[in-house]
Amino acid sequence: MKILVPVKRVLDYNLKPRVKADGSGVDLANVKQSMNPFDEIAVEEAIRLKEKGVATEIVAVSIGEAKAQDTLRTALAMGADRAILIVHDGVAEPLAIAKLLKAVADEEQPGLVILGKQAIDDDSNQTGQMLAALLGWAQGTFASKVEVAGDTVNVTREVDGGLETVALKVPAIVTTDLRLNEPRYASLPNIMKAKSKPLAQKTPADYGVDMAPRLETLAVTEPPKRQAGIKVASVDELVEKLKALGVAA
Amino acid sequence: MKTLVLVEHDNASVKDATLHTVTAATKLGEVHLLVAGAGCTAVADEAAKIAGVAKVHLADDPALANQLPENIAPLVVTLMAGHDAFLASATTTGKNIAPRVAALLDVMQVSDIIAVDGPDTFTRPIYAGNAIARVKTSDKKLVITVRGTAFGKAARDGGSAAVEAVSGSANSGLASFVSAEIASSERPELTSAKVIVSGGRGLGSGENYHKLIDPLADKLGAAVGASRAAVDAGYVPNDYQVGQTGKIVAPDVYIAIGISGAIQHLAGMKDSKTIIAINKDEDAPIFQIADIGLVADLFQAVPELTEKL
Ligand SMILES: Cc1cc2nc3c(=O)[nH]c(=O)nc-3n(C[C@H](O)[C@H](O)[C@H](O)COP(=O)(O)OP(=O)(O)OC[C@H]3O[C@@H](n4cnc5c(N)ncnc54)[C@H](O)[C@@H]3O)c2cc1C
Ligand SMILES: Cc1cc2nc3c(=O)[nH]c(=O)nc-3n(C[C@H](O)[C@H](O)[C@H](O)COP(=O)(O)OP(=O)(O)OC[C@H]3O[C@@H](n4cnc5c(N)ncnc54)[C@H](O)[C@@H]3O)c2cc1C
C-alpha cells in the first residue's frame, strides 16, 4: 500500500517563541524552523512499515511557503520516496489543509495517511480528524502502536486514562503520539540522494480549494508572566510553607 | 444561542471535565447535553441534574459504547441542525470527536479555549502557551473544545432537565473497539486534584519514583504526575504525563521533583496557584517560575519531607 505523510514546517521546538510587539503573531523572521516533531514520527512510522514490507511507497506532502521544500527534503532524506509541495503563503487553517489533503488522497489513493497529532505552533490537534471526516475513513488518533494486518489496521491510542486499542478498516487515518517511535536521523549519503528524489510543486488552485481563513486573529499577546518566588534553605522551612498553604497539617 | 455539550462518561457516571465545559457553554447560551453511549440511562439522569442544563439528548446504542468518533460524529451533525454551537472538553475523547464534527459541518474548530470573549470571539493558547491568541470566527455554527482548567465546575445538582431519546442507527462499520488498559488508582484524578506531586528524570528509576513520590503524595492526599522524560524512561505510564502533549493541570499546589522545567512541561502546569520545585541544580529553569524552591538532592529531601509532614 501507499502511505501519505503530511509534514509541517514549524518553529524549531528548542526555541522559545517571541510574540511580536504589534500583537499580530509570533515572530518567525530569521528563526530556525524544522519539521514538526510529531511529523518526524509519522515519517519514521511510514518508513518502518515499508521496511516490514507493508508499505510500497511513501509520499510526503506539505502545505506552506516555498521554504517548506526543506522540510520535504528532510522527509525524503529520512526515506520518503517522493514529495508534493502545495505552495501557499499566509495562514492555512486545519480545515483548508484537510481539504487539500483530501484532494491529494483522492489522487494518490493511499492505504494510510499518517499525520502528527498536533503541530507544536498552533496546537490545534484537528487536521487528521478533519481529513478522516472528509474522506469518510476511520481514524486512529494519538497512536503509540500501529499494526497493519490485511485490510485492518490496529491502532493503540494514548488516552487520558491509559491506552486503548481500536481496529480500523483500511484505508484509514493515523495520527502520531510521541512514544510511537524514535525517528532516525538522515545520513549524509541519504541527504545527498534526497536532492534528486522527485518533488512536485502545486498550488491550492490546482485542487480547487479555497484557502480563505474562517478565523480572524484579533491579537496575539504574551501570557501573564510568573515571577520567580523564593528559595527555602531547608526541608523544615518547606514544611512550614506547606502548612501555611493549608495542604499539610 | 443553543449549545450542545458532549458529555464525557464511562457509561456509568458523568466525568468532571464535562462540568467545566458546561460552564463555558453557559457563557454562550442555552445548554443542551448529549449523552452518547451504551446502557447509559443513569448517565443521562445524572446529567439532567447539572445546574443550568435545559435538555439532555440520550443516544443509547451498542455502537456508541466506546465513544468511537466514526459513530458519534454523524449523530452530532444531525443534532446540530437544531443547535448553534457544539462544545467538547479538550480531553483525548473531545479532541478525537470534535474536529470530525467540525469538518462534516464545514466549520473551522476553535481548539482549547480558555475564555469566551463574545458570541464569536475566544481566547486560546498557542505555541504551548507561550503566546495567547484572541480569535474571531466567521462560521455560522461553532465547534469548540474547552480547556477545563480555565473554567469553574458547574454544580452537579440544581438542574431538572428533560431527557429526550435520540434514535437512528449509529454503526458506521469503519472502526471497532478492541481493548483498553485503563489505569485505576485510589488517588485523585490528575486534572481535578488540588495537590499534585510530579516526578521527573531526576528520580532515576521507576522504583525510586514509587519509593519517593507515592508516600509523599499519600501524605498530602495528592494526585501523582510526571514529566515526559520520566514516562519515556518507563518509570510510570503515559497517563501520568503533564505538559503540552500530556495533561494540562492547574492545582492549588504543584510540587515538581527532579523536573528541569522544559517549556513543554511548563505548558501543562504553569497555571497552578503555587508551584514548588525540588531540584539539585540551582540554575534549573523550573526555579524561574517556582513560587517556592528548594535546592537539594531529592533522595535526601523527599524522604525527609515525607517524614516531617
Ligand atoms: C496569529 C497566527 C498567525 C499565523 N500565521 C501563519 C502564517 O502566516 N502562515 C502559516 O502557514 N500559518 C500561520 N499560522 C498557523 C496556522 O493558522 C496553522 O498552521 C493552522 O491553524 C494549522 O494548525 P495546526 O498545524 O496546529 O494543525 P494540527 O491539526 O495541529 O496539525 C496536525 C498535523 O496536520 C498536518 N499538517 C498541518 N498543517 C500542515 C501543512 N501546512 N502541511 C502539511 N501537513 C500539515 C501535520 O501532519 C500536523 O502534524 C498562524 C497562526 C496564528 C495563530
Ligand atoms: C514535541 C514535544 C512535546 C513534548 N511534550 C512534553 C510534555 O507534554 N511534558 C513534558 O514533561 N515534556 C514534554 N516534552 C519533553 C521536554 O522537552 C523535556 O525533555 C522533559 O520535560 C524533561 O523532563 P525532566 O525535567 O524530567 O528531565 P530533565 O530535563 O532531564 O531534568 C531532570 C532534572 O532533575 C534534576 N535532578 C537530577 N538528579 C537530581 C537529584 N538527585 N536531586 C534533585 N534533582 C535532581 C536535574 O537537575 C534536572 O533539572 C516534549 C518534547 C517535545 C519535543
Side-chain angles (χ1 to χ4, degrees):
Chain A
M1 73 169 63
K2 194 190 283 186
I3 300 183
L4 195 64
V5 187
V7 295
K8 184 178 184 190
R9 183 168 176 269
V10 298
L11 178 67
D12 190 271
Y13 85 93
N14 286 304
L15 299 176
K16 191 170 161 54
R18 268 175 301 118
V19 173
K20 285 196 252 182
D22 66 1
S24 64
V26 165
D27 197 354
L28 295 177
N30 306 315
V31 292
K32 185 177 175 207
Q33 300 203 53
S34 313
M35 191 188 300
N36 181 35
F38 292 97
D39 302 352
E40 288 183 359
I41 296 169
V43 175
E44 176 66 35
E45 195 63 18
I47 298 169
R48 291 189 188 184
L49 287 170
K50 196 176 165 192
E51 286 168 350
K52 281 188 206 149
V54 174
T56 47
E57 191 187 22
I58 301 165
V59 182
V61 48
S62 191
I63 296 106
E65 45 183 312
K67 282 198 193 125
Q69 258 196 57
D70 302 349
T71 309
L72 286 171
R73 291 284 173 211
T74 306
L76 293 171
M78 286 174 73
D81 297 295
R82 61 189 170 87
I84 303 170
L85 172 63
I86 305 173
V87 182
H88 174 72
D89 294 323
V91 176
E93 291 173 343
L95 182 61
I97 301 282
K99 287 178 183 176
L100 284 170
L101 294 175
K102 174 185 188 296
V104 174
D106 285 343
E107 237 172 60
E108 299 281 349
Q109 300 285 318
L112 284 178
V113 183
I114 310 181
L115 305 88
K117 78 162 177 181
Q118 78 194 59
I120 59 163
D121 50 0
D122 207 41
D123 287 335
S124 291
N125 199 322
Q126 301 178 359
T127 308
Q129 298 89 314
M130 287 185 156
L131 178 60
L134 297 179
L135 288 164
W137 293 2
Q139 66 188 54
T141 54
F142 328 142
S144 63
K145 195 167 162 200
V146 176
E147 279 172 337
V148 181
D151 282 344
T152 305
V153 53
N154 284 304
V155 177
T156 301
R157 310 178 50 235
E158 297 202 1
V159 295
D160 286 337
L163 296 172
E164 173 190 283
T165 304
V166 287
L168 313 177
K169 214 170 101 183
V170 172
I173 304 291
V174 172
T175 79
T176 62
D177 215 320
L178 290 167
R179 275 167 291 274
L180 180 57
N181 61 48
E182 207 151 313
R184 69 194 65 192
Y185 289 103
S187 67
L188 195 57
N190 284 344
I191 293 172
M192 298 311 291
K193 255 198 278 176
K195 291 190 175 154
S196 55
K197 286 188 180 174
L199 190 156
Q201 286 223 18
K202 302 272 188 177
T203 66
D206 294 337
Y207 299 100
V209 172
D210 174 14
M211 301 297 287
R214 309 285 182 85
L215 302 183
E216 182 194 351
T217 301
L218 301 176
V220 175
T221 51
E222 296 252 11
K225 275 216 171 55
R226 266 195 104 98
Q227 299 298 324
I230 54 147
K231 288 229 172 81
V232 291
S234 68
V235 170
D236 289 321
E237 258 186 76
L238 183 54
V239 170
E240 286 315 307
K241 291 282 177 201
L242 283 169
K243 284 185 180 161
L245 285 167
V247 296
Chain B
M1 191 186 293
K2 264 195 200 153
T3 71
L4 182 67
V5 172
L6 180 72
V7 172
E8 274 198 39
H9 63 88
D10 50 7
N11 294 311
S13 62
V14 176
K15 297 229 168 111
D16 274 355
T18 300
L19 305 175
H20 298 278
T21 305
V22 165
T23 301
T26 313
K27 296 181 193 293
L28 286 169
E30 189 176 311
V31 181
H32 294 186
L33 303 182
L34 169 61
V35 174
C40 54
T41 323
V43 179
D45 292 342
E46 202 185 317
K49 297 199 184 83
I50 297 172
V53 172
K55 193 189 274 182
V56 176
H57 300 273
L58 169 63
D60 203 327
D61 185 315
L64 300 171
N66 298 293
Q67 307 295 312
L68 293 174
E70 295 83 354
N71 298 350
I72 290 188
L75 180 76
V76 175
V77 169
T78 310
L79 285 170
M80 282 304 286
H83 295 87
D84 307 293
F86 175 68
L87 291 94
S89 309
T91 55
T92 49
T93 305
K95 290 187 216 172
N96 199 25
I97 294 169
R100 192 157 179 124
V101 170
L104 292 174
L105 293 171
D106 193 30
V107 164
M108 178 53 208
Q109 170 180 312
V110 185
S111 292
D112 216 10
I113 63 162
I114 56 170
V116 175
D117 303 316
D120 56 2
T121 309
F122 306 91
T123 302
R124 57 178 301 260
I126 53 174
Y127 288 91
N130 283 285
I132 306 292
R134 228 168 85 226
V135 298
K136 184 180 155 124
T137 174
S138 57
D139 282 319
K140 296 240 161 38
K141 301 225 182 225
L142 304 177
V143 176
I144 292 166
T145 60
V146 176
R147 179 173 292 197
T149 53
F151 297 89
K153 272 190 232 171
R156 278 189 181 266
D157 43 42
S160 58
V163 177
E164 205 172 274
V166 184
S167 56
S169 129
N171 199 344
S172 66
L174 290 172
S176 57
F177 172 81
V178 177
S179 63
E181 286 169 50
I182 301 298
S184 65
S185 162
E186 304 290 295
R187 295 210 168 81
E189 205 201 329
L190 251 183
T191 50
S192 52
K194 288 212 154 36
V195 181
I196 294 174
V197 181
S198 210
R201 179 147 49 197
L203 285 154
S205 71
E207 196 185 322
N208 291 339
Y209 183 100
H210 293 298
K211 211 167 72 199
L212 296 173
I213 302 296
D214 290 356
L216 178 57
D218 287 343
K219 272 266 167 81
L220 296 169
V224 288
S227 71
R228 176 187 165 197
V231 173
D232 280 355
Y235 305 175
V236 288
N238 70 289
D239 51 294
Y240 280 51
Q241 183 180 314
V242 171
Q244 179 183 18
T245 53
K247 290 194 174 114
I248 310 284
V249 300
D252 289 345
V253 178
Y254 186 91
I255 308 180
I257 298 174
I259 291 178
S260 62
I263 58 172
Q264 295 90 359
H265 188 79
L266 303 185
M269 43 65 83
K270 69 178 172 198
D271 293 325
S272 306
K273 258 190 217 127
T274 302
I275 295 172
I276 299 175
I278 302 177
N279 196 305
K280 68 175 179 190
D281 172 9
E282 63 175 322
D283 296 323
I286 190 83
F287 288 126
Q288 290 167 18
I289 64 147
D291 301 286
I292 303 168
L294 174 65
V295 180
D297 185 338
L298 67 90
F299 292 101
Q300 268 150 24
V302 175
E304 187 184 339
L305 178 61
T306 307
E307 197 202 299
K308 287 183 170 162
L309 282 170

